[in-house]
Amino acid sequence: MAYLDNIQTFVRVYELGNMSAAARDLRISAAVASSRISQLEDHLGVRLFQRTTRLLNPTEQGNTFYRGALKIVEAVEEAEADINDITLTPRGTLYVAAPLGVGQKFVAPAVPKFHKKFPLINIRLRLSDRKLDLAAEGLDAAFFLGLPEDSNLRIRKIADCPRILCASPAYLKERGMPRSSDELKTDAHDCLNLRYPGAPEFQWPLQTKDGTRRVTVSGPFESDHGEILTTWALEGNGIILKPVFEVSEHLQKGLLVPILEQEPPLPIQLACLYMHRRKQDPKARLFIDFMVDHITASMPA
């Protein structure tokens, strides 16, 4: 198994281009990952990577070895998946991520139910509104609002979620009710936006009588935490664009008020992302199927 461990470590280091990132993905220390690569190089009698203090680049021999090593790793993963299918007792740990709103509303409540049904599968759930890299962060699945930029991922669509523009009564009393989306582009109103590293310019896609209009908006402050934006809006600090399921309770209580209902936002896609593999890990497939059914049944009509 030691030689296979070395090959699996080499494949992840090659794919991620970083020893520390590969170590995190494999749940080992960077020192162990480095030792495995050194053992593999000693066994093969070649250098697989050119190392500097800041860069890690595969050699020509490394490029050649990767093509064969990847086939070995994929064959082992497929064989293990076949065994799990036969025994019908999938086990192990799944690393899952979700945006805060989706995670709190749908995913987190269902995790204990899933574990009760499949007690040999452990779930490690991470909630974050920032952009995630599944490979670099060692995730088996990630729920996602919007459209993924990475075409190397597989996507399982769950639903198109209606969205709403809203603000608190206090804000609207002070700043006035917007009469058209044109007012969102002026200093007359403050828009509260979700911002994370690498996020594009803010444009809110609205449905108008002339078709979809993308309105560029801004405000005095922003956050990478969606719940913070909701809190700010409740405190009267600006207008938010949110999936309806995230703010439905505040709307029902009158703490937030819909605006520009004649120009509603486009719905946003809720989906689950996972890595391409020739044969999907049975425990990941079970978890995704379970969550899709649960979320679909729980989604407000």
Side-chain angles (χ1 to χ4, degrees), residues 86-189:
I86 293 171
T87 61
L88 298 178
T89 56
R91 64 186 64 213
T93 301
L94 287 174
Y95 294 81
V96 182
L100 286 161
V102 173
Q104 292 172 342
K105 182 76 172 181
F106 301 118
V107 181
V111 166
K113 299 175 184 178
F114 176 82
H115 183 66
K116 187 175 182 179
K117 187 174 182 180
F118 302 101
L120 298 180
I121 302 177
N122 300 317
I123 305 298
R124 303 291 182 261
L125 176 62
R126 183 188 312 168
L127 300 186
S128 175
D129 283 325
R130 68 180 178 85
K131 182 180 177 182
L132 298 173
D133 185 327
L134 271 70
E137 301 185 45
L139 295 169
D140 296 293
F143 296 90
F144 186 89
L145 284 168
L147 295 174
E149 299 175 2
D150 190 346
S151 61
N152 293 319
L153 297 174
R154 285 189 174 181
I155 182 167
R156 173 87 175 269
K157 182 177 178 180
I158 301 173
D160 287 319
C161 302
R163 291 190 288 179
I164 192 169
L165 293 172
C166 53
S168 72
Y171 174 87
L172 296 173
K173 181 178 180 180
E174 178 184 352
R175 307 292 286 270
M177 177 70 76
R179 291 165 295 183
S180 76
S181 54
D182 289 327
E183 294 185 31
L184 300 182
K185 301 187 295 182
T186 69
D187 294 335
H189 288 284

Side-chain angles (χ1 to χ4, degrees), residues 110-282:
V111 166
K113 299 175 184 178
F114 176 82
H115 183 66
K116 187 175 182 179
K117 187 174 182 180
F118 302 101
L120 298 180
I121 302 177
N122 300 317
I123 305 298
R124 303 291 182 261
L125 176 62
R126 183 188 312 168
L127 300 186
S128 175
D129 283 325
R130 68 180 178 85
K131 182 180 177 182
L132 298 173
D133 185 327
L134 271 70
E137 301 185 45
L139 295 169
D140 296 293
F143 296 90
F144 186 89
L145 284 168
L147 295 174
E149 299 175 2
D150 190 346
S151 61
N152 293 319
L153 297 174
R154 285 189 174 181
I155 182 167
R156 173 87 175 269
K157 182 177 178 180
I158 301 173
D160 287 319
C161 302
R163 291 190 288 179
I164 192 169
L165 293 172
C166 53
S168 72
Y171 174 87
L172 296 173
K173 181 178 180 180
E174 178 184 352
R175 307 292 286 270
M177 177 70 76
R179 291 165 295 183
S180 76
S181 54
D182 289 327
E183 294 185 31
L184 300 182
K185 301 187 295 182
T186 69
D187 294 335
H189 288 284
D190 295 330
C191 298
L192 304 173
N193 285 296
L194 187 69
R195 172 74 77 175
Y196 49 83
E201 181 182 26
F202 290 115
Q203 290 186 329
W204 286 356
L206 307 181
Q207 304 175 66
T208 73
K209 61 181 181 180
D210 299 319
T212 301
R213 181 185 186 192
R214 298 189 177 276
V215 180
T216 301
V217 298
S218 63
F221 38 82
E222 57 198 30
S223 175
D224 64 352
H225 192 302
E227 286 299 304
I228 293 296
L229 300 182
T230 302
T231 299
W232 285 340
L234 289 167
E235 293 173 347
N237 292 300
I239 299 169
I240 53 173
L241 168 63
K242 283 281 186 172
V244 172
F245 69 78
E246 287 193 29
V247 293
S248 57
E249 292 183 11
H250 302 310
L251 293 167
Q252 291 168 7
K253 295 177 180 178
L255 300 176
L256 293 174
V257 178
I259 67 171
L260 293 177
E261 293 183 273
Q262 74 278 14
E263 296 181 86
L266 290 176
I268 190 168
Q269 176 181 254
L270 171 60
C272 185
L273 307 176
Y274 54 99
M275 301 295 292
H276 269 287
R277 289 192 175 95
R278 287 189 297 176
K279 188 175 182 68
Q280 189 181 4
D281 184 341

